[in-house]
């Protein structure tokens, strides 16, 4: 595609807000209490980029004894920690500033629920910049790796998919971007480049590099 794009769509967790290290510890510790002891690396491999429903189903298949109502319980644990401790991804504010200066709109497309994004984006001071352009798997039929949430963001903005760039940090999300026929950049500051490289158009390890990659 010709750069700059007409719309940039960001994943939320791990791209806008540095929530995944906090969330992964909570998932590991909670599953251990329910009979499934796995490492942080296994949590990352199995669950990052997915949904909490997917975590629940996979964990049960692996032997975790998760009670009815577990989803509400784990979300409550996660929300409490994120509300107190989550920080923005380093450099993301400068990226949004550069997009604003260039007049290029941006949006969020996440597998997380709206309540989670409300918490993390509010604490990090990003929500005012994204209001009205925040899309969740709750808004579409299928979560990532299906392209639904990214296609919805593009449709709402009135931008053709092939004029969009997706910024992702998970293989599941990158597959969603590619399935949407969008140029997909993989942010690998905390992700394994080998998992993203085959399904991304470009990889980058610092948000400082993103404005140049976008042609700003």
């Amino acid at each position: 595609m010709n750069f700059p794009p007409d719309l940039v769509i960001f994943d939320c967790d791990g791209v806008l807000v540095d929530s995944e290290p906090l969330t992964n510890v909570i998932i590991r510790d909670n599953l251990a209490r329910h009979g499934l002891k796995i490492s942080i690396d296994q949590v990352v491999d199995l669950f990052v980029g997915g949904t909490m429903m997917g975590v629940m189903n996979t964990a049960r298949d692996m032997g975790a004894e998760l009670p009815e109502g577990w989803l509400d319980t784990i979300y409550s644990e996660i929300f409490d920690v994120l509300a107190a401790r989550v920080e923005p991804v380093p450099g993301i504010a400068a990226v949004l500033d550069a997009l604003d200066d260039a007049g290029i709109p941006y949006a969020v497309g996440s597998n997380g629920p709206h309540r989670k994004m409300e918490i993390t984006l509010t604490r990090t001071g990003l929500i005012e910049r994204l209001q009205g352009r925040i899309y969740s798997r709750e808004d579409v039929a299928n979560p990532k790796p299906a392209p639904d949430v990214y296609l919805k963001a593009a449709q709402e903005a009135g931008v053709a998919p092939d004029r969009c760039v997706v910024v992702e940090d998970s293989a599941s999300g990158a597959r969603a971007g590619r399935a949407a026929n969008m140029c997909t950049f993989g942010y690998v500051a905390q992700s394994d480049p080998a998992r993203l490289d085959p399904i991304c158009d470009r990889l980058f390890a610092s948000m400082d590099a993103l404005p140049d990659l976008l042609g700003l």
Side-chain angles (χ1 to χ4, degrees):
M1 68 180 288
N2 294 323
F3 288 90
D6 295 336
L7 177 68
V8 179
I9 314 173
F10 296 94
D11 178 44
C12 189
D13 294 302
V15 174
L16 294 175
V17 298
D18 195 16
S19 54
E20 287 177 346
L22 298 171
T23 301
N24 292 342
V25 169
I26 295 168
I27 292 172
R28 180 199 64 187
D29 293 349
N30 182 288
L31 294 181
R33 294 197 301 270
H34 291 94
L36 178 63
K37 294 185 178 181
I38 58 177
S39 68
I40 288 293
D41 286 344
Q42 288 174 295
V43 172
V44 171
D45 289 342
L46 289 167
F47 303 134
V48 167
T51 65
M52 290 308 300
M53 179 70 75
V55 173
M56 182 178 70
N57 292 336
T58 299
R60 282 176 170 166
D61 289 344
M62 295 174 67
E65 298 179 359
L66 303 182
E68 292 299 319
W70 180 82
L71 278 176
D72 291 337
T73 300
I74 190 73
Y75 269 130
S76 179
E77 289 183 41
I78 290 170
F79 291 172
D80 286 349
V81 170
L82 293 179
R85 297 176 56 191
V86 73
E87 298 294 336
V89 165
I92 192 62
V95 172
L96 301 184
D97 288 343
L99 288 168
D100 287 338
D101 290 344
I104 296 171
Y106 44 87
V108 184
S110 174
N111 262 356
H114 278 288
R115 178 59 182 149
K116 182 180 181 183
M117 287 189 280
E118 180 183 359
I119 290 168
T120 59
L121 294 173
T122 297
R123 174 173 161 80
T124 55
L126 298 175
I127 196 162
E128 291 82 4
R129 308 184 71 157
L130 296 157
Q131 205 69 263
R133 295 170 287 169
I134 301 171
Y135 303 100
S136 162
R137 51 92 174 155
E138 294 173 324
D139 302 319
V140 294
N142 302 293
K144 304 173 192 176
D148 300 27
V149 73
Y150 285 137
L151 292 173
K152 180 173 180 60
Q155 181 182 34
E156 293 291 333
V159 176
D162 63 3
R163 293 298 306 155
C164 298
V165 166
V166 162
V167 183
E168 267 288 353
D169 71 325
S170 73
S172 175
R175 291 189 185 97
R178 296 301 294 271
N181 194 33
M182 297 177 180
C183 181
T184 303
F185 289 172
Y187 178 53
V188 294
Q190 297 182 21
S191 303
D192 181 359
R195 298 188 68 185
L196 288 177
D197 187 51
I199 45 179
C200 289
D201 295 285
R202 295 289 296 274
L203 301 183
F204 67 104
S206 169
M207 283 296 168
D208 295 341
L210 186 54
D212 283 344
L213 291 176
L214 292 170
L216 303 182

